[in-house]
Amino acid sequence: MNLPQTQTQTEFTLASSPVFDVERIRSDFPILQLKIEDNPLVYLDSAASSQMPQLVIDSLVRYQTMQHANIHRAVHYLSETATNEYEAARGKLKRFINAPEEREVIFTSGTTDAINLVMHGYGRQFIKAGDEIILTTLEHHANIVPWQMLAEETGAKIRVAPVNDAGEILIEDYEKLFNSRTRFVGLIHVSNALGTINPVKQMIAYAHEHGVPVLVDGAQAVPHLAVDVQDLDCDFYVFSGHKLCGPTGIGVLYGKAALLEKMQPFKGGGDMILSVTFEKTIYNTIPHKFEAGTPAIAAAIGLGVAIDYLLAIGMDEIAAHEHELLVYATEQITSMPGVNIIGSAANKAAVISFTIDGVHPHDIGTLLNEEGIAVRTGQHCAQPVMDRFSVSATSRASFAFYNTLGEVDALVAGIRTLQKVFT
Ligand code: C6P
C-alpha cells in the first residue's frame, strides 16, 4: 500500500482574491448558502460561534480519514503524521499572535478552560488571603466565576473597574484600584456584550508598573483584530477556536514562559509527565505540562487551517470590512425610532447590542428567526454588563468578515416588521 507523505503544510487556494471580495469569501462557507423557512440565512451570531470555511471542514475530514492516531506516543507512520500536524498547528498559532516561542502556546478546550487553567495553576499558588484581583465590569462570566471561586477558597478579594455610559472602562478608576495587595488583573480585550475594544496595552503597562501580571481574555478580539502578545506585553492571553472559524473543543492559552514554568499543572495524567513512580512524578516541560491526556487533535489541526485562511485574507482587511459593517449598521439602527443601541464606545468591534421599546428580547430573536436572521438574545454571559445598563437582556447582532451590507439591510427590515407586529 502506498502511503501519502507526512504532510504538515496545509495546501489550499483561497476562493477569495487578494482584493477583499465578500461574495467570493462567502462561497468558501457552505453553511451560508442555507435557507431558513425559505429565507436566506442571515447569520449575525458570530460572536457566539463563527462559521467554518470548507477547507477547515476538509482538514477535519482528512484527519479522520487519513491521519487519525494518537500523538507524542508512537513511532508509527500515523502517529508521526498526527503529531507533526498537531505541532505544526501550534506553530501557526504562535505566529498568529506573535508569541516569542511555541512552548508558550498551550492547547486548551477553549477560553473558559484556559482561564480555569490559569486560576488553578497560577492563582491557587500565588494568590492568598487578603490579596486583590482586579477585573472589569465588562468581563464575560468565564473571567469572573473562576476568580470568585479562588477568592472564596483563599479569602482573596475581587475589585471591579467600572465603565461609563458608552461602555468604556474608566481608566482613572481602574488605576485607583491598585494598591500593595493587588496580585492579579483579568481584562477582556473586546466586550462580547457591547463590542467595546479596551485599551488593554495601556492597562497592562499600568499593572506592570505595580508588578502585577495580567490575563487578557481575547475571545472576541482575535477574530477581528491583529493581536501581537509581545506588543501588548500581556502575561496570559486566551481565546477559543470556534469564534475564529475553527472547530469547537479547542482553544489557546498563551503564557510567558517564565510564568508557565513556575505554575503548577492544572490536570494530571498522560503526556504531562517525564517520569512517574509511586514515590514521585516529574512533570513534562511546557507546553506539555499543561496538556494532560489525549487532546482534541483534529480540532487543533482544523484551527491551524482556520488561521491559514484568516491570514490569507488578512486581519487588517477583515477589520476594515467589519468596521464598514459596524458604521453602516450603527447609522441605520440609530435612526430607527424605538430601537436603542446599548454600548457606543468610540473604539468598537462589529457588535450591536440593542433593545426595542415594548418588545422582549426573546421575542425579537424568535421573530427575526422567522425571517432567517440569527441574532443572540439574553445576557450574553455578561450579567454585570446588563446590570450596569439596567436591562435584563439585549438582542445582539455580531458581524464577521463574511457578512454583507445587504445583511444589515435585512436586519433593519426584520426589526421594522417585528415592530409592526408589536404596535
Ligand atoms: N462568548 C457569546 O455569545 P468559550 O465558551 O470557552 O469558548 O468562550 C467563553 C467566552 C469567554 N470570553 C468571552 C469574551 C466570550 O465572548 C466567551 C464566549 C459567547 O458571547 C458565548 S457566551
Side-chain angles (χ1 to χ4, degrees):
M1 185 184 170
N2 284 333
L3 289 169
Q5 289 299 300
T6 300
Q7 196 191 356
T8 55
Q9 286 293 319
T10 317
E11 285 159 22
F12 63 87
T13 15
L14 263 185
S16 52
S17 65
V19 178
F20 194 93
D21 178 345
V22 71
E23 288 307 329
R24 292 191 66 187
I25 284 171
R26 287 175 71 78
S27 70
D28 295 334
F29 292 80
I31 206 165
L32 298 180
Q33 317 306 322
L34 271 186
K35 294 214 161 190
I36 311 289
E37 319 251 359
D38 284 342
N39 293 303
L41 168 68
V42 175
Y43 189 72
L44 302 180
D45 197 18
S46 293
S49 219
S50 59
Q51 299 298 346
M52 284 189 283
Q54 184 66 50
L55 55 91
V56 171
I57 299 165
D58 289 346
S59 74
L60 300 175
V61 174
R62 185 175 63 233
Y63 172 80
Q64 303 296 359
T65 48
M66 301 298 288
Q67 299 171 328
H68 175 70
N70 214 322
I71 56 167
H72 301 146
R73 282 159 170 83
V75 293
H76 61 75
Y77 169 82
L78 282 178
S79 180
E80 277 193 4
T81 303
T83 303
N84 290 343
E85 289 270 324
Y86 179 81
E87 291 302 334
R90 196 191 305 279
K92 291 174 188 183
L93 282 146
K94 168 203 173 285
R95 289 188 288 283
F96 182 59
I97 55 171
N98 194 30
E101 298 181 63
E102 274 182 32
R103 68 192 180 116
E104 297 176 311
V105 174
I106 293 153
F107 282 120
T108 65
S109 70
T111 306
T112 306
D113 191 37
I115 296 171
N116 278 275
L117 191 164
V118 176
M119 184 279 268
H120 283 272
Y122 183 89
R124 295 180 85 191
Q125 201 175 343
F126 297 109
I127 298 173
K128 307 277 177 242
D131 288 348
E132 295 185 359
I133 299 162
I134 296 177
L135 304 174
T136 78
T137 304
L138 295 177
E139 300 313 310
H140 184 280
H141 296 166
N143 205 21
I144 299 175
V145 183
W147 303 113
Q148 278 178 330
M149 291 161 86
L150 181 71
E152 243 169 57
E153 182 183 314
T154 58
K157 190 172 159 194
I158 290 174
R159 308 199 64 195
V160 184
V163 297
N164 64 17
D165 291 343
E168 296 164 320
I169 295 169
L170 291 160
I171 298 299
E172 275 185 19
D173 292 24
Y174 162 76
E175 292 181 352
K176 279 189 206 140
L177 295 175
F178 283 82
N179 61 42
S180 60
R181 312 194 88 160
T182 311
R183 291 288 174 274
F184 198 80
V185 175
L187 300 177
I188 191 166
H189 195 167
V190 173
S191 160
N192 66 316
L194 306 182
T196 314
I197 302 175
N198 294 313
V200 289
K201 184 173 173 180
Q202 176 193 346
M203 295 170 81
I204 292 164
Y206 192 81
H208 286 175
E209 279 172 29
H210 292 77
V212 179
V214 181
L215 176 145
V216 180
D217 173 354
Q220 299 292 346
V222 281
H224 309 291
L225 324 165
V227 169
D228 180 335
V229 292
Q230 294 191 64
D231 180 54
L232 292 178
D233 196 25
C234 51
D235 301 279
F236 301 102
Y237 197 95
V238 297
F239 53 97
S240 300
H242 68 97
K243 298 185 197 290
L244 206 45
C245 297
T248 50
I250 192 76
V252 167
L253 162 65
Y254 156 78
K256 284 183 178 167
L259 287 173
L260 294 173
E261 302 271 22
K262 284 200 286 187
M263 282 162 54
Q264 288 298 312
F266 171 31
K267 297 171 187 163
D271 224 26
M272 53 75 73
I273 49 82
L274 287 177
S275 99
V276 178
T277 65
F278 280 106
E279 287 69 43
K280 185 171 172 57
T281 288
I282 301 172
Y283 301 137
N284 207 337
T285 50
I286 59 167
H288 310 296
K289 182 170 92 171
F290 296 107
E291 293 182 5
T294 302
I297 304 167
I301 295 168
L303 178 56
V305 176
I307 298 298
D308 290 339
Y309 179 79
L310 293 171
L311 292 179
I313 295 173
M315 293 311 294
D316 291 342
E317 286 71 15
I318 286 173
H321 176 71
E322 291 180 356
H323 187 67
E324 193 187 349
L325 292 169
L326 175 70
V327 170
Y328 182 62
T330 306
E331 272 170 17
Q332 298 295 310
I333 294 173
T334 307
S335 68
M336 299 182 82
V339 187
N340 321 295
I341 295 182
I342 313 286
S344 53
N347 202 6
K348 235 185 115 168
V351 168
I352 297 196
S353 245
F354 60 96
T355 58
I356 302 180
D357 295 345
V359 192
H360 191 278
H362 185 76
D363 294 332
I364 299 174
T366 307
L367 289 173
L368 288 178
N369 180 56
E370 286 176 11
E371 311 278 327
I373 303 166
V375 297
R376 183 174 173 190
T377 56
Q379 297 178 333
H380 315 294
C381 302
Q383 203 182 324
V385 179
M386 302 296 117
D387 292 346
R388 165 63 180 80
F389 288 90
S390 306
V391 289
S392 58
T394 71
S395 302
R396 182 189 67 183
S398 56
F399 299 88
F401 58 94
Y402 43 65
N403 289 123
T404 65
L405 295 173
E407 290 182 309
V408 175
D409 294 336
L411 173 65
V412 170
I415 294 174
R416 280 210 184 98
T417 307
L418 77 86
Q419 279 182 311
K420 279 185 204 140
V421 173
F422 280 87
T423 48

